[in-house]
PDB file of all heavy atoms in Angstrom:
ATOM      1  N   SER A   1       0.808  -1.225   0.000  1.00 87.00           N
ATOM      2  CA  SER A   1       0.000   0.000   0.000  1.00 87.00           C
ATOM      3  C   SER A   1       0.842   1.276   0.000  1.00 87.00           C
ATOM      4  O   SER A   1       0.374   2.319  -0.466  1.00 87.00           O
ATOM      5  CB  SER A   1      -0.934   0.012   1.220  1.00 87.00           C
ATOM      6  OG  SER A   1      -0.203   0.176   2.423  1.00 87.00           O
ATOM      7  N   LEU A   2       2.085   1.211   0.512  1.00 87.00           N
ATOM      8  CA  LEU A   2       2.897   2.423   0.638  1.00 87.00           C
ATOM      9  C   LEU A   2       3.148   3.122  -0.700  1.00 87.00           C
ATOM     10  O   LEU A   2       2.823   4.308  -0.851  1.00 87.00           O
ATOM     11  CB  LEU A   2       4.214   2.088   1.346  1.00 87.00           C
ATOM     12  CG  LEU A   2       4.111   1.832   2.850  1.00 87.00           C
ATOM     13  CD1 LEU A   2       5.469   1.418   3.422  1.00 87.00           C
ATOM     14  CD2 LEU A   2       3.581   3.061   3.573  1.00 87.00           C
ATOM     15  N   PRO A   3       3.710   2.443  -1.694  1.00 89.00           N
ATOM     16  CA  PRO A   3       3.932   3.145  -2.967  1.00 89.00           C
ATOM     17  C   PRO A   3       2.628   3.549  -3.645  1.00 89.00           C
ATOM     18  O   PRO A   3       2.564   4.591  -4.306  1.00 89.00           O
ATOM     19  CB  PRO A   3       4.707   2.120  -3.807  1.00 89.00           C
ATOM     20  CG  PRO A   3       4.380   0.799  -3.205  1.00 89.00           C
ATOM     21  CD  PRO A   3       4.208   1.051  -1.746  1.00 89.00           C
ATOM     22  N   ILE A   4       1.592   2.738  -3.467  1.00 87.00           N
ATOM     23  CA  ILE A   4       0.303   3.072  -4.084  1.00 87.00           C
ATOM     24  C   ILE A   4      -0.286   4.320  -3.437  1.00 87.00           C
ATOM     25  O   ILE A   4      -0.830   5.201  -4.121  1.00 87.00           O
ATOM     26  CB  ILE A   4      -0.668   1.880  -3.957  1.00 87.00           C
ATOM     27  CG1 ILE A   4      -0.120   0.687  -4.754  1.00 87.00           C
ATOM     28  CG2 ILE A   4      -2.061   2.259  -4.450  1.00 87.00           C
ATOM     29  CD1 ILE A   4      -0.914  -0.592  -4.576  1.00 87.00           C
ATOM     30  N   SER A   5      -0.154   4.431  -2.112  1.00 84.00           N
ATOM     31  CA  SER A   5      -0.652   5.617  -1.404  1.00 84.00           C
ATOM     32  C   SER A   5       0.088   6.874  -1.840  1.00 84.00           C
ATOM     33  O   SER A   5      -0.517   7.932  -2.052  1.00 84.00           O
ATOM     34  CB  SER A   5      -0.505   5.424   0.106  1.00 84.00           C
ATOM     35  OG  SER A   5      -1.298   4.351   0.566  1.00 84.00           O
ATOM     36  N   LEU A   6       1.408   6.753  -1.969  1.00 85.00           N
ATOM     37  CA  LEU A   6       2.196   7.906  -2.406  1.00 85.00           C
ATOM     38  C   LEU A   6       1.815   8.324  -3.818  1.00 85.00           C
ATOM     39  O   LEU A   6       1.672   9.523  -4.114  1.00 85.00           O
ATOM     40  CB  LEU A   6       3.687   7.566  -2.341  1.00 85.00           C
ATOM     41  CG  LEU A   6       4.274   7.362  -0.934  1.00 85.00           C
ATOM     42  CD1 LEU A   6       5.713   6.888  -1.019  1.00 85.00           C
ATOM     43  CD2 LEU A   6       4.178   8.652  -0.125  1.00 85.00           C
ATOM     44  N   LEU A   7       1.621   7.342  -4.685  1.00 85.00           N
ATOM     45  CA  LEU A   7       1.273   7.640  -6.071  1.00 85.00           C
ATOM     46  C   LEU A   7      -0.097   8.301  -6.182  1.00 85.00           C
ATOM     47  O   LEU A   7      -0.255   9.301  -6.891  1.00 85.00           O
ATOM     48  CB  LEU A   7       1.312   6.359  -6.907  1.00 85.00           C
ATOM     49  CG  LEU A   7       0.937   6.512  -8.389  1.00 85.00           C
ATOM     50  CD1 LEU A   7       1.910   7.473  -9.071  1.00 85.00           C
ATOM     51  CD2 LEU A   7       0.933   5.158  -9.080  1.00 85.00           C
ATOM     52  N   GLN A   8      -1.076   7.768  -5.460  1.00 82.00           N
ATOM     53  CA  GLN A   8      -2.415   8.343  -5.563  1.00 82.00           C
ATOM     54  C   GLN A   8      -2.463   9.736  -4.945  1.00 82.00           C
ATOM     55  O   GLN A   8      -3.172  10.617  -5.469  1.00 82.00           O
ATOM     56  CB  GLN A   8      -3.454   7.433  -4.913  1.00 82.00           C
ATOM     57  CG  GLN A   8      -3.339   7.304  -3.401  1.00 82.00           C
ATOM     58  CD  GLN A   8      -4.446   6.454  -2.814  1.00 82.00           C
ATOM     59  OE1 GLN A   8      -5.597   6.613  -3.192  1.00 82.00           O
ATOM     60  NE2 GLN A   8      -4.098   5.544  -1.914  1.00 82.00           N
ATOM     61  N   SER A   9      -1.711   9.978  -3.872  1.00 78.00           N
ATOM     62  CA  SER A   9      -1.658  11.311  -3.286  1.00 78.00           C
ATOM     63  C   SER A   9      -1.051  12.306  -4.260  1.00 78.00           C
ATOM     64  O   SER A   9      -1.538  13.431  -4.407  1.00 78.00           O
ATOM     65  CB  SER A   9      -0.846  11.289  -1.985  1.00 78.00           C
ATOM     66  OG  SER A   9      -1.443  10.446  -1.026  1.00 78.00           O
ATOM     67  N   ALA A  10       0.029  11.876  -4.948  1.00 81.00           N
ATOM     68  CA  ALA A  10       0.666  12.758  -5.926  1.00 81.00           C
ATOM     69  C   ALA A  10      -0.280  13.071  -7.083  1.00 81.00           C
ATOM     70  O   ALA A  10      -0.369  14.221  -7.532  1.00 81.00           O
ATOM     71  CB  ALA A  10       1.940  12.094  -6.455  1.00 81.00           C
ATOM     72  N   VAL A  11      -1.023  12.071  -7.531  1.00 79.00           N
ATOM     73  CA  VAL A  11      -1.965  12.284  -8.630  1.00 79.00           C
ATOM     74  C   VAL A  11      -3.047  13.267  -8.232  1.00 79.00           C
ATOM     75  O   VAL A  11      -3.400  14.188  -8.986  1.00 79.00           O
ATOM     76  CB  VAL A  11      -2.589  10.939  -9.068  1.00 79.00           C
ATOM     77  CG1 VAL A  11      -3.749  11.177 -10.031  1.00 79.00           C
ATOM     78  CG2 VAL A  11      -1.533  10.051  -9.713  1.00 79.00           C
ATOM     79  N   LEU A  12      -3.571  13.112  -7.017  1.00 74.00           N
ATOM     80  CA  LEU A  12      -4.653  13.980  -6.567  1.00 74.00           C
ATOM     81  C   LEU A  12      -4.179  15.417  -6.348  1.00 74.00           C
ATOM     82  O   LEU A  12      -4.929  16.367  -6.579  1.00 74.00           O
ATOM     83  CB  LEU A  12      -5.254  13.428  -5.278  1.00 74.00           C
ATOM     84  CG  LEU A  12      -6.062  12.137  -5.430  1.00 74.00           C
ATOM     85  CD1 LEU A  12      -6.438  11.572  -4.070  1.00 74.00           C
ATOM     86  CD2 LEU A  12      -7.320  12.383  -6.260  1.00 74.00           C
ATOM     87  N   LEU A  13      -2.938  15.566  -5.894  1.00 73.00           N
ATOM     88  CA  LEU A  13      -2.431  16.901  -5.607  1.00 73.00           C
ATOM     89  C   LEU A  13      -1.991  17.635  -6.880  1.00 73.00           C
ATOM     90  O   LEU A  13      -2.167  18.853  -7.000  1.00 73.00           O
ATOM     91  CB  LEU A  13      -1.262  16.818  -4.626  1.00 73.00           C
ATOM     92  CG  LEU A  13      -1.643  16.343  -3.213  1.00 73.00           C
ATOM     93  CD1 LEU A  13      -0.393  16.132  -2.373  1.00 73.00           C
ATOM     94  CD2 LEU A  13      -2.558  17.350  -2.540  1.00 73.00           C
ATOM     95  N   VAL A  14      -1.422  16.879  -7.821  1.00 75.00           N
ATOM     96  CA  VAL A  14      -0.949  17.514  -9.048  1.00 75.00           C
ATOM     97  C   VAL A  14      -2.098  17.769 -10.017  1.00 75.00           C
ATOM     98  O   VAL A  14      -2.185  18.822 -10.649  1.00 75.00           O
ATOM     99  CB  VAL A  14       0.129  16.630  -9.720  1.00 75.00           C
ATOM    100  CG1 VAL A  14       0.508  17.193 -11.084  1.00 75.00           C
ATOM    101  CG2 VAL A  14       1.353  16.534  -8.821  1.00 75.00           C
ATOM    102  N   HIS A  15      -2.988  16.797 -10.126  1.00 70.00           N
ATOM    103  CA  HIS A  15      -4.101  16.925 -11.072  1.00 70.00           C
ATOM    104  C   HIS A  15      -5.402  16.585 -10.342  1.00 70.00           C
ATOM    105  O   HIS A  15      -5.854  15.439 -10.350  1.00 70.00           O
ATOM    106  CB  HIS A  15      -3.897  15.992 -12.259  1.00 70.00           C
ATOM    107  CG  HIS A  15      -4.987  16.092 -13.279  1.00 70.00           C
ATOM    108  ND1 HIS A  15      -5.187  17.218 -14.040  1.00 70.00           N
ATOM    109  CD2 HIS A  15      -5.950  15.211 -13.651  1.00 70.00           C
ATOM    110  CE1 HIS A  15      -6.224  17.027 -14.839  1.00 70.00           C
ATOM    111  NE2 HIS A  15      -6.702  15.805 -14.618  1.00 70.00           N
ATOM    112  N   PRO A  16      -6.015  17.564  -9.692  1.00 63.00           N
ATOM    113  CA  PRO A  16      -7.255  17.308  -8.953  1.00 63.00           C
ATOM    114  C   PRO A  16      -8.301  16.636  -9.854  1.00 63.00           C
ATOM    115  O   PRO A  16      -8.571  17.057 -10.958  1.00 63.00           O
ATOM    116  CB  PRO A  16      -7.707  18.708  -8.531  1.00 63.00           C
ATOM    117  CG  PRO A  16      -6.455  19.509  -8.501  1.00 63.00           C
ATOM    118  CD  PRO A  16      -5.608  18.982  -9.621  1.00 63.00           C
ATOM    119  N   ALA A  17      -8.869  15.559  -9.344  1.00 64.00           N
ATOM    120  CA  ALA A  17      -9.875  14.818 -10.098  1.00 64.00           C
ATOM    121  C   ALA A  17     -10.900  14.286  -9.120  1.00 64.00           C
ATOM    122  O   ALA A  17     -10.845  14.587  -7.926  1.00 64.00           O
ATOM    123  CB  ALA A  17      -9.216  13.685 -10.878  1.00 64.00           C
ATOM    124  N   ASN A  18     -11.797  13.526  -9.610  1.00 67.00           N
ATOM    125  CA  ASN A  18     -12.780  12.902  -8.733  1.00 67.00           C
ATOM    126  C   ASN A  18     -12.069  11.891  -7.834  1.00 67.00           C
ATOM    127  O   ASN A  18     -11.595  10.856  -8.292  1.00 67.00           O
ATOM    128  CB  ASN A  18     -13.859  12.198  -9.569  1.00 67.00           C
ATOM    129  CG  ASN A  18     -15.050  11.814  -8.716  1.00 67.00           C
ATOM    130  OD1 ASN A  18     -14.901  11.495  -7.542  1.00 67.00           O
ATOM    131  ND2 ASN A  18     -16.225  11.848  -9.304  1.00 67.00           N
ATOM    132  N   ILE A  19     -12.025  12.180  -6.548  1.00 75.00           N
ATOM    133  CA  ILE A  19     -11.238  11.368  -5.623  1.00 75.00           C
ATOM    134  C   ILE A  19     -11.696   9.922  -5.584  1.00 75.00           C
ATOM    135  O   ILE A  19     -10.876   9.012  -5.508  1.00 75.00           O
ATOM    136  CB  ILE A  19     -11.312  11.976  -4.202  1.00 75.00           C
ATOM    137  CG1 ILE A  19     -10.613  13.325  -4.174  1.00 75.00           C
ATOM    138  CG2 ILE A  19     -10.669  11.047  -3.184  1.00 75.00           C
ATOM    139  CD1 ILE A  19     -10.678  13.991  -2.833  1.00 75.00           C
ATOM    140  N   ILE A  20     -12.998   9.717  -5.635  1.00 77.00           N
ATOM    141  CA  ILE A  20     -13.510   8.369  -5.421  1.00 77.00           C
ATOM    142  C   ILE A  20     -12.950   7.372  -6.422  1.00 77.00           C
ATOM    143  O   ILE A  20     -12.624   6.240  -6.085  1.00 77.00           O
ATOM    144  CB  ILE A  20     -15.060   8.372  -5.455  1.00 77.00           C
ATOM    145  CG1 ILE A  20     -15.601   6.993  -5.071  1.00 77.00           C
ATOM    146  CG2 ILE A  20     -15.574   8.800  -6.809  1.00 77.00           C
ATOM    147  CD1 ILE A  20     -15.222   6.554  -3.698  1.00 77.00           C
ATOM    148  N   TRP A  21     -12.796   7.803  -7.692  1.00 80.00           N
ATOM    149  CA  TRP A  21     -12.271   6.883  -8.703  1.00 80.00           C
ATOM    150  C   TRP A  21     -10.795   6.594  -8.477  1.00 80.00           C
ATOM    151  O   TRP A  21     -10.334   5.458  -8.701  1.00 80.00           O
ATOM    152  CB  TRP A  21     -12.499   7.459 -10.098  1.00 80.00           C
ATOM    153  CG  TRP A  21     -13.957   7.605 -10.416  1.00 80.00           C
ATOM    154  CD1 TRP A  21     -14.661   8.756 -10.569  1.00 80.00           C
ATOM    155  CD2 TRP A  21     -14.899   6.549 -10.569  1.00 80.00           C
ATOM    156  NE1 TRP A  21     -15.984   8.499 -10.808  1.00 80.00           N
ATOM    157  CE2 TRP A  21     -16.164   7.146 -10.821  1.00 80.00           C
ATOM    158  CE3 TRP A  21     -14.814   5.155 -10.526  1.00 80.00           C
ATOM    159  CZ2 TRP A  21     -17.316   6.399 -11.027  1.00 80.00           C
ATOM    160  CZ3 TRP A  21     -15.967   4.410 -10.734  1.00 80.00           C
ATOM    161  CH2 TRP A  21     -17.190   5.024 -10.984  1.00 80.00           C
ATOM    162  N   VAL A  22     -10.051   7.587  -8.034  1.00 81.00           N
ATOM    163  CA  VAL A  22      -8.629   7.369  -7.718  1.00 81.00           C
ATOM    164  C   VAL A  22      -8.506   6.411  -6.546  1.00 81.00           C
ATOM    165  O   VAL A  22      -7.676   5.487  -6.556  1.00 81.00           O
ATOM    166  CB  VAL A  22      -7.933   8.706  -7.400  1.00 81.00           C
ATOM    167  CG1 VAL A  22      -6.470   8.474  -7.013  1.00 81.00           C
ATOM    168  CG2 VAL A  22      -8.021   9.641  -8.596  1.00 81.00           C
ATOM    169  N   TRP A  23      -9.320   6.625  -5.514  1.00 83.00           N
ATOM    170  CA  TRP A  23      -9.291   5.726  -4.358  1.00 83.00           C
ATOM    171  C   TRP A  23      -9.683   4.306  -4.740  1.00 83.00           C
ATOM    172  O   TRP A  23      -9.035   3.347  -4.332  1.00 83.00           O
ATOM    173  CB  TRP A  23     -10.213   6.254  -3.263  1.00 83.00           C
ATOM    174  CG  TRP A  23      -9.559   7.292  -2.403  1.00 83.00           C
ATOM    175  CD1 TRP A  23      -8.227   7.525  -2.246  1.00 83.00           C
ATOM    176  CD2 TRP A  23     -10.222   8.252  -1.578  1.00 83.00           C
ATOM    177  NE1 TRP A  23      -8.024   8.568  -1.376  1.00 83.00           N
ATOM    178  CE2 TRP A  23      -9.218   9.032  -0.949  1.00 83.00           C
ATOM    179  CE3 TRP A  23     -11.561   8.533  -1.318  1.00 83.00           C
ATOM    180  CZ2 TRP A  23      -9.520  10.057  -0.066  1.00 83.00           C
ATOM    181  CZ3 TRP A  23     -11.866   9.569  -0.434  1.00 83.00           C
ATOM    182  CH2 TRP A  23     -10.853  10.322   0.181  1.00 83.00           C
ATOM    183  N   LEU A  24     -10.756   4.160  -5.504  1.00 85.00           N
ATOM    184  CA  LEU A  24     -11.208   2.822  -5.883  1.00 85.00           C
ATOM    185  C   LEU A  24     -10.132   2.065  -6.654  1.00 85.00           C
ATOM    186  O   LEU A  24      -9.902   0.870  -6.422  1.00 85.00           O
ATOM    187  CB  LEU A  24     -12.491   2.915  -6.709  1.00 85.00           C
ATOM    188  CG  LEU A  24     -13.775   3.265  -5.947  1.00 85.00           C
ATOM    189  CD1 LEU A  24     -14.934   3.448  -6.910  1.00 85.00           C
ATOM    190  CD2 LEU A  24     -14.097   2.194  -4.915  1.00 85.00           C
ATOM    191  N   PHE A  25      -9.476   2.752  -7.566  1.00 87.00           N
ATOM    192  CA  PHE A  25      -8.396   2.113  -8.321  1.00 87.00           C
ATOM    193  C   PHE A  25      -7.258   1.712  -7.387  1.00 87.00           C
ATOM    194  O   PHE A  25      -6.702   0.614  -7.501  1.00 87.00           O
ATOM    195  CB  PHE A  25      -7.883   3.067  -9.400  1.00 87.00           C
ATOM    196  CG  PHE A  25      -6.742   2.516 -10.202  1.00 87.00           C
ATOM    197  CD1 PHE A  25      -6.971   1.641 -11.254  1.00 87.00           C
ATOM    198  CD2 PHE A  25      -5.428   2.851  -9.885  1.00 87.00           C
ATOM    199  CE1 PHE A  25      -5.909   1.114 -11.991  1.00 87.00           C
ATOM    200  CE2 PHE A  25      -4.368   2.337 -10.615  1.00 87.00           C
ATOM    201  CZ  PHE A  25      -4.614   1.462 -11.670  1.00 87.00           C
ATOM    202  N   SER A  26      -6.913   2.601  -6.456  1.00 88.00           N
ATOM    203  CA  SER A  26      -5.804   2.321  -5.533  1.00 88.00           C
ATOM    204  C   SER A  26      -6.151   1.161  -4.600  1.00 88.00           C
ATOM    205  O   SER A  26      -5.308   0.294  -4.337  1.00 88.00           O
ATOM    206  CB  SER A  26      -5.480   3.570  -4.716  1.00 88.00           C
ATOM    207  OG  SER A  26      -5.111   4.641  -5.551  1.00 88.00           O
ATOM    208  N   TRP A  27      -7.381   1.138  -4.095  1.00 89.00           N
ATOM    209  CA  TRP A  27      -7.786   0.049  -3.199  1.00 89.00           C
ATOM    210  C   TRP A  27      -7.755  -1.285  -3.928  1.00 89.00           C
ATOM    211  O   TRP A  27      -7.306  -2.292  -3.371  1.00 89.00           O
ATOM    212  CB  TRP A  27      -9.186   0.319  -2.643  1.00 89.00           C
ATOM    213  CG  TRP A  27      -9.285   1.580  -1.840  1.00 89.00           C
ATOM    214  CD1 TRP A  27      -8.251   2.320  -1.337  1.00 89.00           C
ATOM    215  CD2 TRP A  27     -10.483   2.266  -1.465  1.00 89.00           C
ATOM    216  NE1 TRP A  27      -8.733   3.415  -0.669  1.00 89.00           N
ATOM    217  CE2 TRP A  27     -10.092   3.413  -0.732  1.00 89.00           C
ATOM    218  CE3 TRP A  27     -11.840   2.038  -1.676  1.00 89.00           C
ATOM    219  CZ2 TRP A  27     -11.025   4.308  -0.209  1.00 89.00           C
ATOM    220  CZ3 TRP A  27     -12.774   2.930  -1.152  1.00 89.00           C
ATOM    221  CH2 TRP A  27     -12.361   4.051  -0.420  1.00 89.00           C
ATOM    222  N   SER A  28      -8.218  -1.289  -5.167  1.00 91.00           N
ATOM    223  CA  SER A  28      -8.169  -2.524  -5.956  1.00 91.00           C
ATOM    224  C   SER A  28      -6.726  -2.969  -6.165  1.00 91.00           C
ATOM    225  O   SER A  28      -6.421  -4.170  -6.111  1.00 91.00           O
ATOM    226  CB  SER A  28      -8.854  -2.313  -7.307  1.00 91.00           C
ATOM    227  OG  SER A  28     -10.206  -1.936  -7.140  1.00 91.00           O
ATOM    228  N   ALA A  29      -5.828  -1.997  -6.389  1.00 92.00           N
ATOM    229  CA  ALA A  29      -4.414  -2.324  -6.591  1.00 92.00           C
ATOM    230  C   ALA A  29      -3.796  -2.908  -5.318  1.00 92.00           C
ATOM    231  O   ALA A  29      -3.002  -3.857  -5.388  1.00 92.00           O
ATOM    232  CB  ALA A  29      -3.647  -1.076  -7.032  1.00 92.00           C
ATOM    233  N   ILE A  30      -4.151  -2.361  -4.155  1.00 91.00           N
ATOM    234  CA  ILE A  30      -3.610  -2.871  -2.889  1.00 91.00           C
ATOM    235  C   ILE A  30      -4.042  -4.307  -2.660  1.00 91.00           C
ATOM    236  O   ILE A  30      -3.243  -5.193  -2.330  1.00 91.00           O
ATOM    237  CB  ILE A  30      -4.054  -1.978  -1.714  1.00 91.00           C
ATOM    238  CG1 ILE A  30      -3.394  -0.598  -1.802  1.00 91.00           C
ATOM    239  CG2 ILE A  30      -3.714  -2.636  -0.373  1.00 91.00           C
ATOM    240  CD1 ILE A  30      -3.926   0.402  -0.796  1.00 91.00           C
ATOM    241  N   ILE A  31      -5.339  -4.576  -2.821  1.00 91.00           N
ATOM    242  CA  ILE A  31      -5.856  -5.930  -2.607  1.00 91.00           C
ATOM    243  C   ILE A  31      -5.281  -6.894  -3.640  1.00 91.00           C
ATOM    244  O   ILE A  31      -4.830  -7.998  -3.307  1.00 91.00           O
ATOM    245  CB  ILE A  31      -7.396  -5.931  -2.668  1.00 91.00           C
ATOM    246  CG1 ILE A  31      -7.960  -5.125  -1.495  1.00 91.00           C
ATOM    247  CG2 ILE A  31      -7.937  -7.361  -2.640  1.00 91.00           C
ATOM    248  CD1 ILE A  31      -9.468  -4.972  -1.514  1.00 91.00           C
ATOM    249  N   GLY A  32      -5.263  -6.472  -4.906  1.00 92.00           N
ATOM    250  CA  GLY A  32      -4.749  -7.337  -5.957  1.00 92.00           C
ATOM    251  C   GLY A  32      -3.276  -7.663  -5.780  1.00 92.00           C
ATOM    252  O   GLY A  32      -2.860  -8.824  -5.939  1.00 92.00           O
ATOM    253  N   THR A  33      -2.475  -6.662  -5.436  1.00 90.00           N
ATOM    254  CA  THR A  33      -1.040  -6.880  -5.234  1.00 90.00           C
ATOM    255  C   THR A  33      -0.777  -7.817  -4.066  1.00 90.00           C
ATOM    256  O   THR A  33       0.066  -8.719  -4.137  1.00 90.00           O
ATOM    257  CB  THR A  33      -0.321  -5.538  -4.989  1.00 90.00           C
ATOM    258  OG1 THR A  33      -0.543  -4.667  -6.097  1.00 90.00           O
ATOM    259  CG2 THR A  33       1.174  -5.753  -4.798  1.00 90.00           C
ATOM    260  N   THR A  34      -1.507  -7.620  -2.972  1.00 89.00           N
ATOM    261  CA  THR A  34      -1.335  -8.475  -1.792  1.00 89.00           C
ATOM    262  C   THR A  34      -1.688  -9.920  -2.101  1.00 89.00           C
ATOM    263  O   THR A  34      -0.934 -10.848  -1.765  1.00 89.00           O
ATOM    264  CB  THR A  34      -2.214  -7.961  -0.636  1.00 89.00           C
ATOM    265  OG1 THR A  34      -1.882  -6.606  -0.342  1.00 89.00           O
ATOM    266  CG2 THR A  34      -2.006  -8.811   0.611  1.00 89.00           C
ATOM    267  N   LEU A  35      -2.819 -10.140  -2.734  1.00 89.00           N
ATOM    268  CA  LEU A  35      -3.239 -11.504  -3.056  1.00 89.00           C
ATOM    269  C   LEU A  35      -2.265 -12.167  -4.032  1.00 89.00           C
ATOM    270  O   LEU A  35      -1.972 -13.359  -3.916  1.00 89.00           O
ATOM    271  CB  LEU A  35      -4.648 -11.490  -3.645  1.00 89.00           C
ATOM    272  CG  LEU A  35      -5.763 -11.037  -2.689  1.00 89.00           C
ATOM    273  CD1 LEU A  35      -7.115 -11.088  -3.386  1.00 89.00           C
ATOM    274  CD2 LEU A  35      -5.792 -11.895  -1.426  1.00 89.00           C
ATOM    275  N   PHE A  36      -1.754 -11.392  -4.991  1.00 89.00           N
ATOM    276  CA  PHE A  36      -0.804 -11.964  -5.948  1.00 89.00           C
ATOM    277  C   PHE A  36       0.483 -12.397  -5.252  1.00 89.00           C
ATOM    278  O   PHE A  36       1.035 -13.462  -5.557  1.00 89.00           O
ATOM    279  CB  PHE A  36      -0.486 -10.950  -7.049  1.00 89.00           C
ATOM    280  CG  PHE A  36       0.556 -11.431  -8.013  1.00 89.00           C
ATOM    281  CD1 PHE A  36       0.249 -12.366  -8.990  1.00 89.00           C
ATOM    282  CD2 PHE A  36       1.872 -10.957  -7.929  1.00 89.00           C
ATOM    283  CE1 PHE A  36       1.214 -12.824  -9.873  1.00 89.00           C
ATOM    284  CE2 PHE A  36       2.837 -11.420  -8.808  1.00 89.00           C
ATOM    285  CZ  PHE A  36       2.513 -12.349  -9.782  1.00 89.00           C
ATOM    286  N   LYS A  37       0.979 -11.572  -4.316  1.00 85.00           N
ATOM    287  CA  LYS A  37       2.211 -11.923  -3.607  1.00 85.00           C
ATOM    288  C   LYS A  37       2.031 -13.197  -2.791  1.00 85.00           C
ATOM    289  O   LYS A  37       2.935 -14.035  -2.721  1.00 85.00           O
ATOM    290  CB  LYS A  37       2.648 -10.760  -2.706  1.00 85.00           C
ATOM    291  CG  LYS A  37       3.214  -9.573  -3.473  1.00 85.00           C
ATOM    292  CD  LYS A  37       3.728  -8.499  -2.515  1.00 85.00           C
ATOM    293  CE  LYS A  37       4.374  -7.358  -3.289  1.00 85.00           C
ATOM    294  NZ  LYS A  37       4.901  -6.304  -2.378  1.00 85.00           N
ATOM    295  N   VAL A  38       0.853 -13.340  -2.166  1.00 81.00           N
ATOM    296  CA  VAL A  38       0.591 -14.547  -1.383  1.00 81.00           C
ATOM    297  C   VAL A  38       0.452 -15.756  -2.306  1.00 81.00           C
ATOM    298  O   VAL A  38       0.980 -16.834  -2.026  1.00 81.00           O
ATOM    299  CB  VAL A  38      -0.677 -14.352  -0.527  1.00 81.00           C
ATOM    300  CG1 VAL A  38      -1.097 -15.661   0.127  1.00 81.00           C
ATOM    301  CG2 VAL A  38      -0.431 -13.298   0.543  1.00 81.00           C
TER     302      VAL A  38
END
């Protein structure tokens, strides 16, 4: 989650957009990455 959190924060701060879609994509990436590693 650490690099994903940093990336999504940078995206939101540099290019303001609809937060919910950025969060949803990031949450999916966190869950997907964790499950893949396991």
Side-chain angles (χ1 to χ4, degrees):
S1 69
L2 286 176
I4 296 174
S5 296
L6 292 174
L7 179 61
Q8 67 177 316
S9 298
V11 170
L12 290 172
L13 293 173
V14 173
H15 181 67
N18 193 327
I19 293 178
I20 187 61
W21 297 112
V22 178
W23 276 340
L24 286 175
F25 178 81
S26 300
W27 299 345
S28 300
I30 292 172
I31 294 176
T33 302
T34 303
L35 294 181
F36 176 76
K37 287 184 176 181
V38 171

